[in-house]
Amino acid sequence: MAGPEKVGTKEMVRDTRSGSSSRDEELGEMAPVENGQLKKALKNRHLQMIAMGGAIGAGLFIGSGKALSTGGPGSVLICYTLIGVMMLFTCQALAELSVVYPSNGAFFEHCLRFLDPTWQSCLRGFAIGWGYALTWLIILPFELIAASITIQYWNETISMGVWVTMFLVVLATIQIFGVRGYGEVECILSVIKIAACCGFIILGIVINTGAVGNQGYLGTKYWSDPGAFRNGFEGFAGVFVIASFSFGGTELAGLAAAESERPEKSVPKACKQVFWRIAFFYTLNLFIMGLIMRSDDPRLLGSSGANSKASPFVLAIQDAGIQVLPHIMNGVITIAVISVANSSTFGFTRTVQAMAQVGMAPKYLAKIDSHGRPMRCTIVLLLFALLAYIGLAPDKAGMKLFDWLLAVTGVTYFFIWGSICLAHIRFRRAMKVQGLSLDLIPYKPSGGVWGSWVALIFNGLCLVASFYTCIKPPHKDATVAETVESFFQGYLATPVMLVLWLGWKIRTGSWRLQTPLHAIDLKTDAKFQDLANIEPKEKKPIWKTILGALF
């Protein structure tokens, strides 16, 4: 086989132009809709804060309580760290792909290109795109209800509908300012969440040493009694699943690449911040929380959804006898929930608009207005958000419906993250098969293709762990009916993804599983760098290489 072909920027541009015209002929009726462009208004600081604090939400502040009760502090520390490493490699793979192909829709279009890019037979792209869009579509009204419930920590007399209306109006107002509004709001909210995490670490150390409250010196007392691990392997697997869902939304930094002013600079930096969020805001916070909160505390059994009264962070502060800080922490939890709702508007609208452009969603939704906003997608999302008012139904019947709606999104993230890693693996293999030098890639993550393999395997393990916990829950006091209901609610997303995939395959009549590596279009719309302008890199010590990968 011939050695890697040295292709310069000018050659790539010529190939890109010819490739575009040939693919347009192939698309036929499903050719991209002529449209305005998304406004590139996200600055480097926006992406940095989206990456640092974007996924810090109820999964950390509330869901970690259920994780602590399920598996104990040892399981929490190990599982969150392992899933964090998986997300670090996933984000690095997404960063490389987004820098070379900074397109609206990000990993959705990467799946089309590298897994099955013949647009009439997009097996994975269609299922992944709609699975991701449905996830955010359903999460928005749920988060509006969740934010309203956190307000009831202070006042339970005001109807929840009042707060739902208020939060919905705020979200609608943010959309008027387009992607810049999303970026600024997330930047501010992320700063608040990060400050809260830092403050809790300091406070937790103070509580643990016995400097406040009447608990005395705690040290590692709760790791011995009731113990570091609970409920055996079932408990560990249960924490593994809870930890996985806590990192949902991490991929938004890659989705925002198409609206970044300089994606080749800002996206790699943003994805590197994932390491610090994992190491500092998750691992260290949860380690401190496990030192000052008993895992067998019965109050933790209610730590799900938006029940901030059962948040281990709030409970730990209350147990220390501190009067004001529980209210401040509840305020942070409310902000975190609103942040997730704000992110859902971005995730849904950009994904559906990209799908509409290639005929996988109604073409009506492909329209981008003169201000670079996909307003038609936004209107659809806000109309669906009105379902939040069913939370007012008596006897919690509305929330029961939401449990089943959320079940549709269950393990969808594992398919999405796994597809990102698989797309990156096939991208690298296609580069090798087609004789293109890896030096053309502007940003190459330190983990390389092996990091994507590790993350792909972990995503498979997450699916297995989810299935195991669905058929064998950690808490053994559940009835048969409750176990069956829990199984379908926990794993319903898998048949939904298969139905989406099978439905599109039947419609298109194409049953090819993936495109041959030599046939993958690597050049159309690619932002490769010119080899002639690349300066030879000096060999650095290993410690400098590691630091360069993290900063």
Side-chain angles (χ1 to χ4, degrees):
M1 181 180 292
E5 177 186 355
K6 300 297 183 180
V7 182
T9 301
K10 293 181 180 179
E11 296 174 60
M12 297 302 299
V13 171
R14 287 197 297 270
D15 290 335
T16 295
R17 291 173 179 171
S18 61
S20 296
S21 60
S22 63
R23 189 167 67 176
D24 286 344
E25 293 176 1
E26 178 188 354
L27 295 181
E29 294 180 356
M30 298 178 67
V33 177
E34 291 296 329
N35 208 353
Q37 296 294 317
L38 292 171
K39 190 174 182 181
K40 296 182 179 295
L42 287 179
K43 298 183 180 297
N44 181 57
R45 62 182 177 86
H46 294 138
L47 281 182
Q48 297 297 312
M49 297 313 299
I50 289 172
M52 284 285 283
I56 298 177
L60 172 64
F61 293 123
I62 300 178
S64 57
K66 183 178 180 181
L68 182 62
S69 175
T70 299
S75 295
V76 169
L77 185 62
I78 294 173
C79 291
Y80 274 83
T81 301
L82 290 176
I83 298 301
V85 171
M86 179 190 80
M87 289 311 304
L88 174 61
F89 289 137
T90 301
C91 287
Q92 287 189 340
L94 181 58
E96 179 177 319
L97 294 175
S98 297
V99 169
V100 180
Y101 306 99
S103 57
N104 183 28
F107 45 84
F108 157 68
E109 296 199 5
H110 299 155
C111 290
L112 299 184
R113 184 185 293 261
F114 300 113
L115 303 183
D116 190 359
T118 55
W119 297 62
Q120 281 86 357
S121 56
C122 307
L123 78 155
R124 293 184 181 89
F126 180 80
I128 292 300
W130 271 112
Y132 190 69
L134 287 174
T135 296
W136 287 122
L137 185 69
I138 295 171
I139 282 178
L140 177 57
F142 177 79
E143 293 298 330
L144 291 175
I145 295 175
S148 303
I149 293 175
T150 60
I151 298 294
Q152 293 181 344
Y153 181 88
W154 296 296
N155 191 329
E156 297 182 357
T157 60
I158 301 177
S159 172
M160 189 174 66
V162 174
W163 303 114
V164 169
T165 302
M166 182 180 299
F167 293 133
L168 189 57
V169 169
V170 170
L171 284 176
T173 303
I174 293 173
Q175 306 316 305
I176 296 176
F177 299 96
V179 69
R180 186 63 179 270
Y182 163 74
E184 292 293 353
V185 170
E186 281 304 299
C187 195
I188 295 172
L189 298 185
S190 293
V191 168
I192 296 174
K193 291 185 288 184
I194 289 172
C197 287
C198 296
F200 181 81
I201 291 173
I202 298 173
L203 178 63
I205 294 174
V206 173
I207 294 175
N208 183 262
T209 57
V212 296
N214 55 4
Q215 301 176 92
Y217 176 75
L218 297 175
T220 58
K221 172 183 176 181
Y222 296 149
W223 280 61
S224 301
D225 179 26
F229 300 93
R230 303 189 69 209
N231 298 316
F233 180 75
E234 289 85 355
F236 184 86
V239 175
F240 200 69
V241 174
I242 296 171
S244 304
F245 290 117
S246 297
F247 285 92
T250 304
E251 70 290 333
L252 284 174
L255 191 65
E259 295 172 80
S260 173
E261 291 180 346
R262 298 187 64 189
E264 72 280 1
K265 298 291 184 182
S266 56
V267 173
K269 287 184 179 179
C271 289
K272 288 178 182 179
Q273 301 304 322
V274 174
F275 170 82
W276 296 110
R277 185 176 68 208
I278 295 166
F280 193 77
F281 303 125
Y282 273 87
T283 304
L284 189 53
N285 259 283
L286 293 176
F287 173 69
I288 296 295
M289 186 262 289
L291 292 177
I292 62 178
M293 190 74 204
R294 293 183 63 92
S295 59
D296 60 352
D297 193 313
R299 295 173 295 177
L300 293 176
L301 296 176
S303 54
S304 59
N307 187 4
S308 58
K309 293 181 180 179
S311 165
F313 292 83
V314 173
L315 293 175
I317 297 173
Q318 288 177 338
D319 292 346
I322 304 174
Q323 299 298 319
V324 179
L325 283 183
H327 298 278
I328 296 177
M329 182 56 68
N330 187 72
V332 172
I333 294 173
T334 305
I335 288 173
V337 173
I338 295 174
S339 175
V340 174
N342 186 44
S343 295
S344 69
T345 61
F346 182 81
F348 173 83
T349 56
R350 272 55 182 182
T351 303
V352 171
Q353 191 276 332
M355 295 180 67
Q357 280 194 309
V358 297
M360 293 185 176
K363 288 190 176 182
Y364 172 82
L365 299 177
K367 176 68 176 177
I368 297 176
D369 65 17
S370 58
H371 298 285
R373 303 170 300 185
M375 289 304 294
R376 292 179 179 179
C377 295
T378 302
I379 291 172
V380 170
L381 178 67
L382 293 176
L383 288 175
F384 192 86
L386 296 176
L387 282 178
Y389 288 105
I390 70 175
L392 299 173
D395 300 326
K396 297 184 178 180
M399 295 307 297
K400 194 69 174 178
L401 172 62
F402 260 115
D403 287 341
W404 284 103
L405 284 176
L406 288 171
V408 176
T409 70
V411 295
T412 302
Y413 275 122
F414 302 143
F415 289 99
I416 293 168
W417 296 333
S419 295
I420 292 172
C421 297
L422 185 57
H424 180 243
I425 292 169
R426 287 181 56 78
F427 165 65
R428 286 292 191 93
R429 292 183 64 190
M431 290 282 288
K432 182 178 180 180
V433 168
Q434 297 183 27
L436 299 180
S437 172
L438 294 182
D439 291 334
L440 290 167
I441 304 173
Y443 167 72
K444 293 185 287 293
S446 56
V449 71
W450 292 107
S452 294
W453 274 114
V454 171
L456 181 61
I457 293 172
F458 263 86
N459 274 286
L461 292 176
C462 287
L463 284 171
V464 173
S466 297
F467 183 80
Y468 182 80
T469 56
C470 286
I471 62 175
K472 197 170 183 181
H475 298 288
K476 299 178 176 56
D477 56 347
T479 64
V480 175
E482 290 173 341
T483 301
V484 172
E485 181 179 354
S486 174
F487 171 78
F488 282 105
Q489 287 186 352
Y491 227 72
L492 183 61
T494 300
V496 168
M497 294 292 289
L498 293 176
V499 167
L500 288 172
W501 170 79
L502 185 61
W504 188 257
K505 299 302 287 183
I506 292 174
R507 177 187 171 186
T508 59
S510 174
W511 296 94
R512 185 177 65 182
L513 292 180
Q514 60 186 13
T515 302
L517 295 173
H518 69 271
I520 291 177
D521 179 12
L522 293 175
K523 298 178 181 180
T524 302
D525 300 326
K527 305 296 182 183
F528 288 118
Q529 60 183 344
D530 193 342
L531 291 177
N533 296 329
I534 300 177
E535 298 180 359
K537 296 181 179 179
E538 60 176 334
K539 190 174 181 180
K540 297 180 180 179
I542 186 64
W543 65 272
K544 283 189 177 181
T545 303
I546 295 175
L547 290 178
L550 301 179
F551 289 97

